[in-house]
Amino acid sequence: MHTYVNSMATHSDDWDNDYQEGYEHVGAPISENRDIRIENEPEAPEAVVPEVTASVRRRKILILVGCTVINLCQSIVFVMAVLGKINSDLSNKQADDIRMALFITRRLGVPLASIFMIGLGYRIVGIVGCSLVGLGLFIAAWVPRVAVGGIGFLVGGVAGLGFAFLSLTVIIPILETFTKHRLRYVVLVRSAETVAAILFACITLVPEIDIDWRILYRYQLIVMVIAGAACVLLKPLEPPTVDKSRGVLSRLLGLSDFSIFKGAPLYLLMVVYFMDQLGKPIPAYELSTLLEDPIKQFGNDLSVRVIVVLPFVGALLGLLALVFWQRFSLVDVLWMLGPINILSGLLTFQVPALAKVTWVAVYAVVFGMSSGIFLALVDNVIPHAFGKQRIRIVEGILGLASGVGHVISLPVSEALNSRTTVGYESSFYLSGSALITSGLLAVGFRYMLIRQNSKTETAS
């Protein structure tokens, strides 16, 4: 791992102007970024950085607003697609299969979305994503019940792929555009997603509300039109350039070299991310099962049922806490992620033994905080660790690791639960084991990077 710190900071009054907190480039250093000085060589005069124009500042604001609006809209529609009572005119198994297809396609479609984004840019990918989601759900709302396969294809396939496109559209423009306050803007965009989840999760707690899924799917088209219009705001500050001298694979992946695939950091971060996403989805799904356990007798009043919303509330609190985070290198981020996941895993081990609803509520909030912090910090560290020119392909690779972990977590959890009498204990033990493993790997990965950096500095 080679660390390069840009010592030149500007004094512009712009709220995010060419400020470098320090970049960590994985693999061979890029020649144009190296600052090689010969002893006794006279220092070159400090470069004069031009004032950021009002138009650039305005375009940055539009990108921030656009990403926030898009994420809010796509989150609302996704929750509608998941919480819409599909089993109102379909069987429970058919409804569950459609939802599972939607989850799988949304997660595993991220690498494909990153490839398209490298070639087409995030504006076009965002508009295509809005179209796939909007039209897929709208058409599915008119398909008769006998054609359940068509409904599954439109919701789980077409709309699911659109959600995968939008999941990158809302974050990559932020990572590529901003530097100084990037984490704060990541928090803002991610908070919009969490707020949407909280609102619609609360709606499900009201028993009198019973809106047919076909009605929800038809009216979501309005929301996706708004999101599509917001995609127009995502105009890159610098037009993309294509180096035709590179090979086909280099152009496809948007890479000038393949050094990131030659070192261990990317693969280790993938494993940490995979284990995190293997453990994180399970408690969110199993909390309701725990609360309904007749042996524990938690009850069924609103104060108990509202606990299923608390992980989203905790995620929002965790995101807001990152506003004060000031360390941005991969080594520092791993030092934060490791203990958080270890603590979250240890607490998850204790959940089956909790006998008071208050402690379950506390756990739900703490668990949600760890989830929000992990995702935001991993997003924010990618430009520092791998360079801005590699953001899109790295997001796709990490998205694949995350998607595989998320997709296999629920089937594995169900298989374990089928072998126990209570049903949910094995799920929490699996989740806790995965989170502790993720945390330990993060800590070990951090010390490996520190040792590698020390050897590099000694050799130079």
mmCIF file of all heavy atoms in Angstrom, residues 194 197-198 201-202 205 284 287 291 302-318 357-370:
data_model
loop_
_atom_site.group_PDB
_atom_site.id
_atom_site.type_symbol
_atom_site.label_atom_id
_atom_site.label_comp_id
_atom_site.label_asym_id
_atom_site.label_seq_id
_atom_site.Cartn_x
_atom_site.Cartn_y
_atom_site.Cartn_z
ATOM 1 N N THR A 194 -32.755 5.873 4.533
ATOM 2 C CA THR A 194 -33.174 5.380 5.838
ATOM 3 C C THR A 194 -34.486 5.996 6.280
ATOM 4 O O THR A 194 -35.350 5.314 6.848
ATOM 5 C CB THR A 194 -32.081 5.670 6.880
ATOM 6 O OG1 THR A 194 -30.820 5.177 6.409
ATOM 7 C CG2 THR A 194 -32.408 5.021 8.200
ATOM 8 N N ALA A 197 -37.319 4.241 4.604
ATOM 9 C CA ALA A 197 -37.568 2.935 5.208
ATOM 10 C C ALA A 197 -38.317 3.076 6.536
ATOM 11 O O ALA A 197 -39.225 2.285 6.836
ATOM 12 C CB ALA A 197 -36.247 2.202 5.421
ATOM 13 N N ILE A 198 -37.955 4.078 7.339
ATOM 14 C CA ILE A 198 -38.629 4.288 8.621
ATOM 15 C C ILE A 198 -40.099 4.622 8.411
ATOM 16 O O ILE A 198 -40.987 4.063 9.070
ATOM 17 C CB ILE A 198 -37.928 5.408 9.413
ATOM 18 C CG1 ILE A 198 -36.532 4.969 9.843
ATOM 19 C CG2 ILE A 198 -38.757 5.807 10.634
ATOM 20 C CD1 ILE A 198 -35.712 6.071 10.490
ATOM 21 N N ALA A 201 -42.019 1.553 7.090
ATOM 22 C CA ALA A 201 -42.083 0.519 8.115
ATOM 23 C C ALA A 201 -43.114 0.886 9.179
ATOM 24 O O ALA A 201 -43.827 0.017 9.689
ATOM 25 C CB ALA A 201 -40.713 0.314 8.740
ATOM 26 N N CYS A 202 -43.206 2.172 9.488
ATOM 27 C CA CYS A 202 -44.218 2.628 10.453
ATOM 28 C C CYS A 202 -45.629 2.440 9.900
ATOM 29 O O CYS A 202 -46.561 2.116 10.641
ATOM 30 C CB CYS A 202 -43.989 4.090 10.814
ATOM 31 S SG CYS A 202 -42.512 4.392 11.815
ATOM 32 N N LEU A 205 -47.254 -0.803 10.556
ATOM 33 C CA LEU A 205 -47.702 -1.059 11.927
ATOM 34 C C LEU A 205 -49.154 -0.684 12.147
ATOM 35 O O LEU A 205 -49.742 -1.059 13.157
ATOM 36 C CB LEU A 205 -46.818 -0.272 12.911
ATOM 37 C CG LEU A 205 -45.319 -0.627 12.910
ATOM 38 C CD1 LEU A 205 -44.579 0.275 13.871
ATOM 39 C CD2 LEU A 205 -45.107 -2.084 13.264
ATOM 40 N N ALA A 284 -32.460 -8.267 11.190
ATOM 41 C CA ALA A 284 -33.561 -7.418 10.743
ATOM 42 C C ALA A 284 -34.795 -8.247 10.402
ATOM 43 O O ALA A 284 -35.936 -7.817 10.634
ATOM 44 C CB ALA A 284 -33.120 -6.595 9.533
ATOM 45 N N LEU A 287 -36.093 -10.336 13.950
ATOM 46 C CA LEU A 287 -36.601 -9.605 15.117
ATOM 47 C C LEU A 287 -38.094 -9.850 15.334
ATOM 48 O O LEU A 287 -38.550 -10.028 16.470
ATOM 49 C CB LEU A 287 -36.332 -8.104 14.962
ATOM 50 C CG LEU A 287 -35.036 -7.555 15.560
ATOM 51 C CD1 LEU A 287 -34.928 -6.067 15.324
ATOM 52 C CD2 LEU A 287 -34.945 -7.868 17.047
ATOM 53 N N LEU A 291 -39.942 -11.405 18.630
ATOM 54 C CA LEU A 291 -40.979 -10.690 19.379
ATOM 55 C C LEU A 291 -42.279 -11.485 19.463
ATOM 56 O O LEU A 291 -43.085 -11.276 20.377
ATOM 57 C CB LEU A 291 -41.246 -9.331 18.717
ATOM 58 C CG LEU A 291 -40.075 -8.347 18.756
ATOM 59 C CD1 LEU A 291 -40.379 -7.121 17.918
ATOM 60 C CD2 LEU A 291 -39.757 -7.953 20.187
ATOM 61 N N LEU A 302 -48.528 -1.938 20.387
ATOM 62 C CA LEU A 302 -47.733 -1.105 19.486
ATOM 63 C C LEU A 302 -46.321 -0.890 20.000
ATOM 64 O O LEU A 302 -45.361 -0.837 19.218
ATOM 65 C CB LEU A 302 -48.429 0.251 19.270
ATOM 66 C CG LEU A 302 -47.764 1.198 18.265
ATOM 67 C CD1 LEU A 302 -47.686 0.553 16.890
ATOM 68 C CD2 LEU A 302 -48.515 2.522 18.207
ATOM 69 N N SER A 303 -46.160 -0.774 21.320
ATOM 70 C CA SER A 303 -44.828 -0.533 21.884
ATOM 71 C C SER A 303 -43.878 -1.687 21.609
ATOM 72 O O SER A 303 -42.658 -1.508 21.591
ATOM 73 C CB SER A 303 -44.936 -0.308 23.393
ATOM 74 O OG SER A 303 -45.465 -1.457 24.035
ATOM 75 N N VAL A 304 -44.414 -2.873 21.377
ATOM 76 C CA VAL A 304 -43.579 -4.034 21.055
ATOM 77 C C VAL A 304 -43.364 -4.122 19.550
ATOM 78 O O VAL A 304 -42.241 -4.329 19.075
ATOM 79 C CB VAL A 304 -44.225 -5.336 21.588
ATOM 80 C CG1 VAL A 304 -43.438 -6.550 21.119
ATOM 81 C CG2 VAL A 304 -44.300 -5.301 23.103
ATOM 82 N N ARG A 305 -44.417 -3.948 18.784
ATOM 83 C CA ARG A 305 -44.314 -4.085 17.328
ATOM 84 C C ARG A 305 -43.424 -3.010 16.704
ATOM 85 O O ARG A 305 -42.834 -3.211 15.640
ATOM 86 C CB ARG A 305 -45.710 -4.040 16.702
ATOM 87 C CG ARG A 305 -46.531 -5.294 16.982
ATOM 88 C CD ARG A 305 -47.874 -5.279 16.277
ATOM 89 N NE ARG A 305 -48.802 -4.355 16.902
ATOM 90 C CZ ARG A 305 -49.335 -3.301 16.308
ATOM 91 N NH1 ARG A 305 -48.980 -3.012 15.064
ATOM 92 N NH2 ARG A 305 -50.181 -2.517 16.940
ATOM 93 N N VAL A 306 -43.307 -1.864 17.354
ATOM 94 C CA VAL A 306 -42.508 -0.772 16.808
ATOM 95 C C VAL A 306 -41.017 -1.087 16.840
ATOM 96 O O VAL A 306 -40.220 -0.415 16.167
ATOM 97 C CB VAL A 306 -42.793 0.532 17.580
ATOM 98 C CG1 VAL A 306 -42.084 0.518 18.937
ATOM 99 C CG2 VAL A 306 -42.387 1.751 16.774
ATOM 100 N N ILE A 307 -40.624 -2.113 17.570
ATOM 101 C CA ILE A 307 -39.201 -2.463 17.658
ATOM 102 C C ILE A 307 -38.648 -2.841 16.287
ATOM 103 O O ILE A 307 -37.457 -2.623 16.012
ATOM 104 C CB ILE A 307 -38.999 -3.601 18.680
ATOM 105 C CG1 ILE A 307 -39.293 -3.083 20.088
ATOM 106 C CG2 ILE A 307 -37.590 -4.170 18.610
ATOM 107 C CD1 ILE A 307 -39.150 -4.138 21.175
ATOM 108 N N VAL A 308 -39.478 -3.390 15.404
ATOM 109 C CA VAL A 308 -38.974 -3.777 14.081
ATOM 110 C C VAL A 308 -38.535 -2.562 13.269
ATOM 111 O O VAL A 308 -37.810 -2.702 12.276
ATOM 112 C CB VAL A 308 -40.049 -4.570 13.301
ATOM 113 C CG1 VAL A 308 -40.390 -5.853 14.039
ATOM 114 C CG2 VAL A 308 -41.299 -3.733 13.068
ATOM 115 N N VAL A 309 -38.955 -1.373 13.692
ATOM 116 C CA VAL A 309 -38.557 -0.138 13.002
ATOM 117 C C VAL A 309 -37.237 0.392 13.561
ATOM 118 O O VAL A 309 -36.523 1.140 12.883
ATOM 119 C CB VAL A 309 -39.659 0.934 13.129
ATOM 120 C CG1 VAL A 309 -39.309 2.190 12.356
ATOM 121 C CG2 VAL A 309 -40.998 0.384 12.658
ATOM 122 N N LEU A 310 -36.884 0.006 14.792
ATOM 123 C CA LEU A 310 -35.733 0.591 15.470
ATOM 124 C C LEU A 310 -34.393 0.356 14.775
ATOM 125 O O LEU A 310 -33.510 1.211 14.874
ATOM 126 C CB LEU A 310 -35.676 0.091 16.919
ATOM 127 C CG LEU A 310 -36.843 0.539 17.811
ATOM 128 C CD1 LEU A 310 -36.631 0.061 19.244
ATOM 129 C CD2 LEU A 310 -37.001 2.055 17.772
ATOM 130 N N PRO A 311 -34.165 -0.786 14.071
ATOM 131 C CA PRO A 311 -32.892 -0.885 13.342
ATOM 132 C C PRO A 311 -32.707 0.222 12.314
ATOM 133 O O PRO A 311 -31.578 0.701 12.118
ATOM 134 C CB PRO A 311 -32.991 -2.266 12.679
ATOM 135 C CG PRO A 311 -33.884 -3.054 13.577
ATOM 136 C CD PRO A 311 -34.893 -2.068 14.066
ATOM 137 N N PHE A 312 -33.784 0.653 11.667
ATOM 138 C CA PHE A 312 -33.679 1.759 10.710
ATOM 139 C C PHE A 312 -33.402 3.076 11.430
ATOM 140 O O PHE A 312 -32.634 3.912 10.944
ATOM 141 C CB PHE A 312 -34.973 1.870 9.885
ATOM 142 C CG PHE A 312 -35.323 0.618 9.143
ATOM 143 C CD1 PHE A 312 -36.423 -0.136 9.508
ATOM 144 C CD2 PHE A 312 -34.546 0.177 8.082
ATOM 145 C CE1 PHE A 312 -36.748 -1.300 8.833
ATOM 146 C CE2 PHE A 312 -34.857 -0.978 7.394
ATOM 147 C CZ PHE A 312 -35.967 -1.722 7.772
ATOM 148 N N VAL A 313 -34.038 3.252 12.597
ATOM 149 C CA VAL A 313 -33.764 4.444 13.404
ATOM 150 C C VAL A 313 -32.306 4.453 13.847
ATOM 151 O O VAL A 313 -31.624 5.485 13.801
ATOM 152 C CB VAL A 313 -34.708 4.499 14.621
ATOM 153 C CG1 VAL A 313 -34.362 5.693 15.509
ATOM 154 C CG2 VAL A 313 -36.166 4.571 14.178
ATOM 155 N N GLY A 314 -31.797 3.294 14.267
ATOM 156 C CA GLY A 314 -30.405 3.207 14.657
ATOM 157 C C GLY A 314 -29.463 3.499 13.503
ATOM 158 O O GLY A 314 -28.433 4.164 13.679
ATOM 159 N N ALA A 315 -29.804 3.008 12.293
ATOM 160 C CA ALA A 315 -28.976 3.300 11.119
ATOM 161 C C ALA A 315 -28.904 4.796 10.862
ATOM 162 O O ALA A 315 -27.840 5.331 10.522
ATOM 163 C CB ALA A 315 -29.536 2.575 9.904
ATOM 164 N N LEU A 316 -30.026 5.482 11.042
ATOM 165 C CA LEU A 316 -30.037 6.933 10.852
ATOM 166 C C LEU A 316 -29.164 7.618 11.897
ATOM 167 O O LEU A 316 -28.400 8.542 11.576
ATOM 168 C CB LEU A 316 -31.474 7.457 10.928
ATOM 169 C CG LEU A 316 -31.662 8.966 10.733
ATOM 170 C CD1 LEU A 316 -31.159 9.407 9.361
ATOM 171 C CD2 LEU A 316 -33.130 9.354 10.900
ATOM 172 N N LEU A 317 -29.245 7.182 13.151
ATOM 173 C CA LEU A 317 -28.407 7.755 14.203
ATOM 174 C C LEU A 317 -26.927 7.498 13.926
ATOM 175 O O LEU A 317 -26.074 8.375 14.153
ATOM 176 C CB LEU A 317 -28.798 7.169 15.556
ATOM 177 C CG LEU A 317 -30.207 7.499 16.065
ATOM 178 C CD1 LEU A 317 -30.483 6.774 17.372
ATOM 179 C CD2 LEU A 317 -30.374 9.005 16.252
ATOM 180 N N GLY A 318 -26.610 6.298 13.448
ATOM 181 C CA GLY A 318 -25.224 5.995 13.117
ATOM 182 C C GLY A 318 -24.695 6.875 11.998
ATOM 183 O O GLY A 318 -23.554 7.345 12.048
ATOM 184 N N VAL A 357 -38.339 -6.708 26.845
ATOM 185 C CA VAL A 357 -38.513 -6.021 25.562
ATOM 186 C C VAL A 357 -37.638 -4.781 25.478
ATOM 187 O O VAL A 357 -37.227 -4.365 24.386
ATOM 188 C CB VAL A 357 -40.001 -5.663 25.360
ATOM 189 C CG1 VAL A 357 -40.446 -4.578 26.336
ATOM 190 C CG2 VAL A 357 -40.264 -5.232 23.932
ATOM 191 N N THR A 358 -37.293 -4.182 26.620
ATOM 192 C CA THR A 358 -36.438 -2.994 26.628
ATOM 193 C C THR A 358 -35.061 -3.318 26.065
ATOM 194 O O THR A 358 -34.505 -2.551 25.271
ATOM 195 C CB THR A 358 -36.299 -2.438 28.051
ATOM 196 O OG1 THR A 358 -37.595 -2.148 28.570
ATOM 197 C CG2 THR A 358 -35.454 -1.175 28.054
ATOM 198 N N TRP A 359 -34.510 -4.455 26.466
ATOM 199 C CA TRP A 359 -33.182 -4.837 25.991
ATOM 200 C C TRP A 359 -33.213 -5.190 24.505
ATOM 201 O O TRP A 359 -32.241 -4.942 23.783
ATOM 202 C CB TRP A 359 -32.633 -6.005 26.801
ATOM 203 C CG TRP A 359 -32.280 -5.633 28.202
ATOM 204 C CD1 TRP A 359 -32.853 -6.093 29.350
ATOM 205 C CD2 TRP A 359 -31.280 -4.690 28.601
ATOM 206 N NE1 TRP A 359 -32.275 -5.510 30.448
ATOM 207 C CE2 TRP A 359 -31.302 -4.638 30.018
ATOM 208 C CE3 TRP A 359 -30.373 -3.891 27.914
ATOM 209 C CZ2 TRP A 359 -30.442 -3.828 30.742
ATOM 210 C CZ3 TRP A 359 -29.511 -3.076 28.637
ATOM 211 C CH2 TRP A 359 -29.550 -3.042 30.033
ATOM 212 N N VAL A 360 -34.303 -5.754 24.047
ATOM 213 C CA VAL A 360 -34.439 -6.025 22.612
ATOM 214 C C VAL A 360 -34.444 -4.710 21.829
ATOM 215 O O VAL A 360 -33.824 -4.597 20.769
ATOM 216 C CB VAL A 360 -35.723 -6.832 22.327
ATOM 217 C CG1 VAL A 360 -35.877 -7.074 20.824
ATOM 218 C CG2 VAL A 360 -35.704 -8.162 23.070
ATOM 219 N N ALA A 361 -35.133 -3.706 22.380
ATOM 220 C CA ALA A 361 -35.179 -2.398 21.721
ATOM 221 C C ALA A 361 -33.799 -1.758 21.675
ATOM 222 O O ALA A 361 -33.395 -1.188 20.652
ATOM 223 C CB ALA A 361 -36.167 -1.486 22.444
ATOM 224 N N VAL A 362 -33.054 -1.860 22.784
ATOM 225 C CA VAL A 362 -31.702 -1.300 22.816
ATOM 226 C C VAL A 362 -30.820 -1.992 21.786
ATOM 227 O O VAL A 362 -30.048 -1.353 21.048
ATOM 228 C CB VAL A 362 -31.099 -1.428 24.228
ATOM 229 C CG1 VAL A 362 -29.625 -1.048 24.217
ATOM 230 C CG2 VAL A 362 -31.872 -0.558 25.215
ATOM 231 N N TYR A 363 -30.922 -3.306 21.728
ATOM 232 C CA TYR A 363 -30.126 -4.057 20.747
ATOM 233 C C TYR A 363 -30.473 -3.618 19.324
ATOM 234 O O TYR A 363 -29.569 -3.440 18.486
ATOM 235 C CB TYR A 363 -30.369 -5.553 20.891
ATOM 236 C CG TYR A 363 -29.870 -6.325 19.691
ATOM 237 C CD1 TYR A 363 -28.518 -6.583 19.529
ATOM 238 C CD2 TYR A 363 -30.754 -6.767 18.708
ATOM 239 C CE1 TYR A 363 -28.046 -7.268 18.414
ATOM 240 C CE2 TYR A 363 -30.286 -7.449 17.593
ATOM 241 C CZ TYR A 363 -28.945 -7.688 17.443
ATOM 242 O OH TYR A 363 -28.481 -8.349 16.340
ATOM 243 N N ALA A 364 -31.753 -3.457 19.030
ATOM 244 C CA ALA A 364 -32.173 -3.078 17.680
ATOM 245 C C ALA A 364 -31.555 -1.751 17.261
ATOM 246 O O ALA A 364 -31.107 -1.595 16.117
ATOM 247 C CB ALA A 364 -33.700 -3.008 17.607
ATOM 248 N N VAL A 365 -31.499 -0.786 18.169
ATOM 249 C CA VAL A 365 -30.919 0.518 17.855
ATOM 250 C C VAL A 365 -29.413 0.410 17.649
ATOM 251 O O VAL A 365 -28.867 0.944 16.666
ATOM 252 C CB VAL A 365 -31.243 1.534 18.967
ATOM 253 C CG1 VAL A 365 -30.519 2.853 18.716
ATOM 254 C CG2 VAL A 365 -32.747 1.775 19.049
ATOM 255 N N VAL A 366 -28.721 -0.287 18.553
ATOM 256 C CA VAL A 366 -27.273 -0.426 18.441
ATOM 257 C C VAL A 366 -26.899 -1.177 17.167
ATOM 258 O O VAL A 366 -25.960 -0.808 16.452
ATOM 259 C CB VAL A 366 -26.703 -1.139 19.679
ATOM 260 C CG1 VAL A 366 -25.209 -1.419 19.508
ATOM 261 C CG2 VAL A 366 -26.948 -0.300 20.928
ATOM 262 N N PHE A 367 -27.624 -2.236 16.868
ATOM 263 C CA PHE A 367 -27.363 -3.008 15.653
ATOM 264 C C PHE A 367 -27.561 -2.144 14.411
ATOM 265 O O PHE A 367 -26.749 -2.176 13.475
ATOM 266 C CB PHE A 367 -28.295 -4.216 15.600
ATOM 267 C CG PHE A 367 -28.145 -5.034 14.352
ATOM 268 C CD1 PHE A 367 -27.131 -5.970 14.241
ATOM 269 C CD2 PHE A 367 -29.010 -4.863 13.284
ATOM 270 C CE1 PHE A 367 -26.987 -6.719 13.086
ATOM 271 C CE2 PHE A 367 -28.870 -5.608 12.129
ATOM 272 C CZ PHE A 367 -27.852 -6.541 12.027
ATOM 273 N N GLY A 368 -28.617 -1.344 14.396
ATOM 274 C CA GLY A 368 -28.855 -0.455 13.262
ATOM 275 C C GLY A 368 -27.754 0.577 13.105
ATOM 276 O O GLY A 368 -27.348 0.893 11.976
ATOM 277 N N MET A 369 -27.250 1.101 14.216
ATOM 278 C CA MET A 369 -26.159 2.073 14.145
ATOM 279 C C MET A 369 -24.919 1.466 13.497
ATOM 280 O O MET A 369 -24.267 2.096 12.661
ATOM 281 C CB MET A 369 -25.826 2.581 15.548
ATOM 282 C CG MET A 369 -26.887 3.463 16.169
ATOM 283 S SD MET A 369 -26.433 4.048 17.826
ATOM 284 C CE MET A 369 -25.039 5.108 17.418
ATOM 285 N N SER A 370 -24.583 0.232 13.877
ATOM 286 C CA SER A 370 -23.411 -0.413 13.297
ATOM 287 C C SER A 370 -23.578 -0.611 11.801
ATOM 288 O O SER A 370 -22.627 -0.466 11.025
ATOM 289 C CB SER A 370 -23.161 -1.766 13.980
ATOM 290 O OG SER A 370 -24.179 -2.706 13.652
#
